[in-house]
Amino acid sequence: MLSQAVLAGASGQVRNMATTAGNLLQRTRCFYFRDTATPCNKREPGSGCSALDGYNRIHAVLGTSAHCIATHPSDMAVALVALDARVRVVGPAGERVVSLGALHRLPGDRPDRETTLEPGELIIAVDVPPLAFASRSLYLKVRDRASFAFALASAAVAVDVRDGTVRDARIALGGVGTKPWRAAGAEEALRGRRAGRDAYRAAADAALAGAVPRAHNAFKIELAKRTLVRALLRLESR
Amino acid sequence: MTSPNEPRTTGAVGAPINRVDGRLKVTGAARYSAEIPVDDLAYGVIVQSTIARGTIDRIDAGEAEQLPGVIAVMTPRNAPKLESLQKFEREGSKGSRPTGRALSLLQNDSVHYNGQPIALVIAESIEVAMHAASLVRTTYRVDQPTIDMATALPSAYPSTEKIYGREPPATQRGDLQAGLAAADVRLDVVYTTPMETHNPMEMHATIAAWDGDKLTLWDATQNVHGVRGTIAKTLSIPPEQVRVISHFIGGAFGGKGSAWSHVVLAALAAREVRRPVKLVLTRRQMFGPVGGRPHTVQHVTLGAARDGTLTALRHDSTSSTSTIEEWVEAATLATRILYDCPNEETSHRLVRLNVGTPTFMRAPGEASGMFALESALDELSYELRMDPIALRLKNYAEADPESGKPWSSKSLRQCYALGAERFGWARRTAEPRSMRDGDQLVGLGMATATYPVRRMPASADACIYPDGRAVIKAGSHDLGTGTYTILTQLAADALGIPLGCIRVELGDTDLPQNPISAGSMTVASTGSAVHLAAMAAREKLIQLAVTDPRSPLHVAQHGAVEIAGGRLTLHGDVDRGESIEELLARNGGQPIEGRADAKPGDETQVYSMHAFGSIFAELRVDPDLGTVRVGRLVGAYAAGRILNPKTARSQLMGGITFGMGMALMEHTITDLRSGRYVNADIAEYHIPVHADVPGIEVFFVDEHDEHVDPIGAKGLGEIGMTGVAAAIANAVFHATGVRVRDLPITLDKLL
Amino acid sequence: MGTVISQVTTVDVELRINATTRQLALDPRTTLLDALREHLDLTGTKKGCDHGQCGACTVHVNGRRVLSCLTLAVAAQGKDITTIEGVADGDQLHPMQQAFLDHDGFQCGYCTSGQIMSALALLREPCGASDDEVRECMSGNLCRCGAYSNIIAAIQDVRATHAHEA
Ligand SMILES: Cc1cc2nc3c(=O)[nH]c(=O)nc-3n(C[C@H](O)[C@H](O)[C@H](O)COP(=O)(O)OP(=O)(O)OC[C@H]3O[C@@H](n4cnc5c(N)ncnc54)[C@H](O)[C@@H]3O)c2cc1C
Ligand code: SF4
Ligand code: FES
Ligand code: FES
């Protein structure tokens, strides 16, 4: 799952240059964030969010606020958050460990503050705890062209199925959340159910339950659900 | 147009030789405009407006000017006033605009689109210039811009100017209403195509250097003589004082056909700071200031009898233009000639938006118009339950239905047959969603391709040197089109000199005048000129031999002398002859020169001239995710004589790939409030990458056309692009049963 | 508009490019790409976006393909840099260059240096054997002329005969 996620990101040359921490902490691809001529709360707190009522096809539907709807662009982070990874951080106050789920913040009313890192803190390592059923995992990315494009929706899934029943699951979504999106609700919806399309669809519905669409990104809700279902089905058929 | 000494050997022309400039390109030695070493260079960076409509209130360059390394900041406050433009304005904008296009040359404070050039920073380095540009502060009086094509549509007005100065903006033949009334089946649909941006890999770039009152421009242009004319008129200097050089161009696709604002600004800046100035646009600056394909809304109405015979065809296209200039996307020109429908109307209308002025973009008009027409034909084929190829054959035009003229040649029937055969069209089951590969839906679709043959006056010199080598000179261009190579081949055959002994010089106004390299005209225009120039030199050479008492060919019949491999020999007696070197050495060692000024004859009065083809697409659509993956694209084309099958194939594959981008991903997005170009980079303006592009197969139908031009070639730069978007849209419908009439076909439209 | 004679702060930079060491005084913000093109007259490496989006600026740093537009020149010190100008052996084209020539793997030629540098790196990367796998590995190199099919043919030709000797 992790290697698929890494390979699904960017291009060979970019990957050769990128660091793991840099990838986790990369800034959003929101058009308006990158165009300094337009208002953006993330770039310039209080200036307004151009995306809310602008062109927002690539924007998030989960974890958004009235101040920012920018998607977190990383693929790798989606796999890592599904795997309960932890980052080791050193800073002026010494070393500490932050779970990946707690590394990124929701935009809320301060979209400029993207992570829970303190000033001066550096990521020095990422630990991925062993997961017994990690071998039954995959990362599926859906995008506008076959390669070298950010996700419109992606799903990182790992499922432990015994005797046709889901014992445990790890699910995270990319391309739809303001942070790498752990779908705990979907995991909950799967546990104890018979593996199969119905259960997967129920999990997908649970994952997107709180989704808030804007003018151009409503399709992402259905796309994300189908992406998740497809990922789970593909895992089943392996 | 056959001369008495038409070469009998056809060695080089038609051979799939490697590009003669290929070695320079694979070693990185070919120099593009921004790469010319010029001493004492200063760097220019353009500052753009951040509103779409209004007036500059204050522009404060103080902080920028203070930055160490900044040489000057040119703004509307201090930019030199251009007499030519003032005169144009004084005369109430009558007469022709000196700049050709409506440019932004810092002459006033008005802003007409977001991203318009409003200042130019000149500095010692790129880094400083970029930094300084970010420090120029501007405030505006903002007016409400018009950005949204959909809401502005009611303001559309008919275009009245002749298109390309030649084609009427609207046409009518027969009686459309009667044709519709007589129809068994009618179709009335609207197709839309978005704004698109050329995005050649090389950004527009200009180096301007003055030497006294003489200006040299190394400019990334597909039109050196055109740029020279524009610059001379704009700066009110004689054209002879302007030299424009463009040896290698990193892709152009129509966008580099005009002298845009940055070219003039570079020249002005270089004059002001008395140093050569290099001005390279950023990728973001390629969206707006240098044109693109406009938005179109196309209304197509078809009527047909049960057997497929078209009884009525109407195609009305409305395209966007800017508020400062009219530019028409000629979307219905192909409709006028493609099918033999007795009752037909076409028209073009315009909507003014606060966007950069659109311009020619690969197959301008045909690419967008044929998406609509060829999709509509496909829709009709389902209504009629008729094979799409059979429907097209039913309405095959044996002569140009608009003008009534005969075709100079047309092999479209063969193109359908060859394409269908190579593609395997016969395996297609007609019903939508009827073909599958595992869980993927399979779609097969096709469309017609066509592009007119146009030609403009062009001149060339051919010079044979005493060492047996030859140099061909023509102020044309190689945009990746293979011009260097095919001209070498044409010259080799005409002169009888080996390929390796010929050098072609292009892209310089010091060379004989040539037209813009666009509209697939280069081969017909420049190719003809080079052929004729080389033939003229050949004539002189033969004349010299037969009148030289010391030549073994003395008093030989003029027509009996052949030249091959650098030797002149008597036909039928290869032993009687001599080398070019020997002949010239004995005759004063002077070069032999041939010159030709080629221009179209009266063939356009007599014939309708077009290239034709067929394009087939096979793709897979994921029924859940909506992703489209094209598996095969097969095209069959008839375009007269193929001078070099290798470069010709590449041209067509390139056009097909461009068409695939148009079909599935290309879309220049503007913010409907601010007019800002939202996806102004090539990560978010998607063009196909390696992984998107399947095996593309290109086939040629042999075609002999003695009317089009002296070399019988029709040009291939754009036809590959035509029909592709429709073939893909038709295949998507076949796969899914979803008809997408609004490009691009992104997955959200198929969910 | 007076001419301001002024000093721009520079740093000394030493770069080893194509086995030759070059000394430069550069604005510290200078990218490796601009150092090559604007300061060293090594213009074979192209600028197509300046933002990591096109691959035209691909060079090798310590044998790996990277984007010179996203690399600061100062950060490339002490490393072995190879550009397109360092690929041929004198007049003898590298087999990859020859294959691009023979397969017409380019049109305008502007993306070509980057394509070739990527293709060469691929010979040492764990990229699968199929056309589709090569397409995926090459997807960071955009070609607007649409020479993709021929580029893949050229690469596969070389991979068939010259793998692991780039
Ligand atoms: C055209 C393009 C396409 C791309 N497509 C994708 C994609 O599809 N999927 C994807 O996941 N990524 C994609 N990327 C992103 C790419 O993977 C990132 O550029 C890369 O991961 C960033 O890594 P870097 O090491 O260069 O980070 P940098 O740019 O160096 O850093 C990014 C951020 O992280 C901070 N940072 C870096 N290291 C540390 C550390 N140790 N501790 C604390 N903070 C740190 C930096 O201060 C900075 O704010 C794409 C990039 C480009 C240019
Ligand atoms: S979505 Fe966030 S990043 Fe984008 S414009 Fe709004 S505030 Fe800025
Ligand atoms: S110039 Fe470096 S990737 Fe485009
Ligand atoms: S050859 Fe022109 S961009 Fe690739």
Side-chain angles (χ1 to χ4, degrees), chain C residues 33 46-50 52-57 67 69:
Chain C
L33 177 60
K46 305 301 183 196
K47 184 186 282 190
C49 70
D50 223 9
Q53 304 168 350
C54 76
C57 66
L67 300 172
C69 72

Side-chain angles (χ1 to χ4, degrees), chain B residues 54-59 76-77 108-109 111 118 138-141:
Chain B
T55 317
I56 297 171
D57 199 26
R58 242 172 71 80
I59 185 156
R77 302 287 178 272
N108 56 50
D109 289 333
V111 174
I118 53 165
T138 312
T139 55
Y140 306 90
R141 284 190 300 278

Side-chain angles (χ1 to χ4, degrees), chain B residues 222-490:
Chain B
Q222 57 196 109
N223 190 8
V224 285
H225 283 96
V227 170
R228 169 174 38 197
T230 300
I231 297 295
K233 272 190 222 142
T234 305
L235 303 186
S236 306
I237 56 177
E240 303 74 52
Q241 288 177 17
V242 182
R243 180 174 177 196
V244 181
I245 300 173
S246 181
H247 289 152
F248 291 101
I249 304 104
F253 313 116
K256 290 174 179 163
S258 310
W260 298 103
S261 306
H262 66 277
V263 185
V264 185
L265 290 176
L268 286 177
R271 196 165 65 184
E272 289 300 305
V273 304
R274 299 171 181 281
R275 278 173 68 173
V277 168
K278 181 193 296 198
L279 204 172
V280 182
L281 298 189
T282 62
R283 182 55 67 180
R284 170 171 279 283
Q285 291 172 341
M286 304 280 283
F287 292 74
V290 293
R293 198 190 302 278
H295 208 346
T296 72
V297 176
Q298 303 179 53
H299 190 164
V300 179
T301 308
L302 293 180
R306 262 291 140 227
D307 70 354
T309 308
L310 286 172
T311 59
L313 170 50
R314 184 172 64 204
H315 188 174
D316 295 319
S317 172
T318 305
S319 59
S320 54
T321 187
S322 70
T323 57
I324 44 179
E325 194 183 338
E326 274 191 0
W327 197 90
V328 179
E329 174 85 356
T332 79
L333 298 192
T335 305
R336 295 173 186 175
I337 61 107
L338 207 43
Y339 297 109
D340 192 13
C341 178
N343 308 303
E344 186 172 309
E345 287 180 16
T346 68
S347 74
H348 295 93
R349 299 195 306 158
L350 287 168
V351 166
R352 298 246 186 204
L353 301 180
N354 288 100
V355 296
T357 306
T359 193
F360 312 89
M361 180 162 156
R362 202 165 198 171
E366 278 75 9
S368 45
M370 288 178 70
F371 162 64
L373 177 67
E374 291 294 295
S375 292
L377 262 280
D378 198 66
E379 297 203 40
L380 184 64
S381 76
Y382 285 93
E383 294 284 324
L384 294 166
R385 302 190 154 273
M386 194 170 173
D387 177 78
I389 300 178
L391 174 61
R392 286 166 174 84
L393 288 172
K394 185 86 196 168
N395 295 286
Y396 198 82
E398 301 290 354
D400 181 336
E402 185 67 24
S403 66
K405 291 176 198 165
W407 306 110
S408 64
S409 63
K410 177 176 180 178
S411 316
L412 179 54
R413 235 184 225 111
Q414 294 88 320
C415 293
Y416 289 138
L418 181 64
E421 185 225 315
R422 295 303 167 102
F423 180 73
W425 182 252
R427 79 201 134 101
R428 174 178 179 270
T429 52
E431 207 50 40
R433 300 182 76 92
S434 64
M435 294 178 74
R436 281 175 190 259
D437 175 13
D439 58 359
Q440 302 287 293
L441 299 166
V442 173
L444 273 52
M446 62 81 57
T448 308
T450 188
Y451 200 76
V453 179
R454 300 196 184 105
R455 205 183 143 197
M456 281 171 74
S459 301
D461 284 342
C463 190
I464 306 169
Y465 288 93
D467 63 358
R469 299 182 157 266
V471 174
I472 303 296
K473 300 183 178 193
S476 184
H477 322 79
D478 193 326
L479 324 167
T481 40
T483 315
Y484 281 113
T485 308
I486 54 125
L487 294 183
T488 305
Q489 291 174 276
L490 283 166

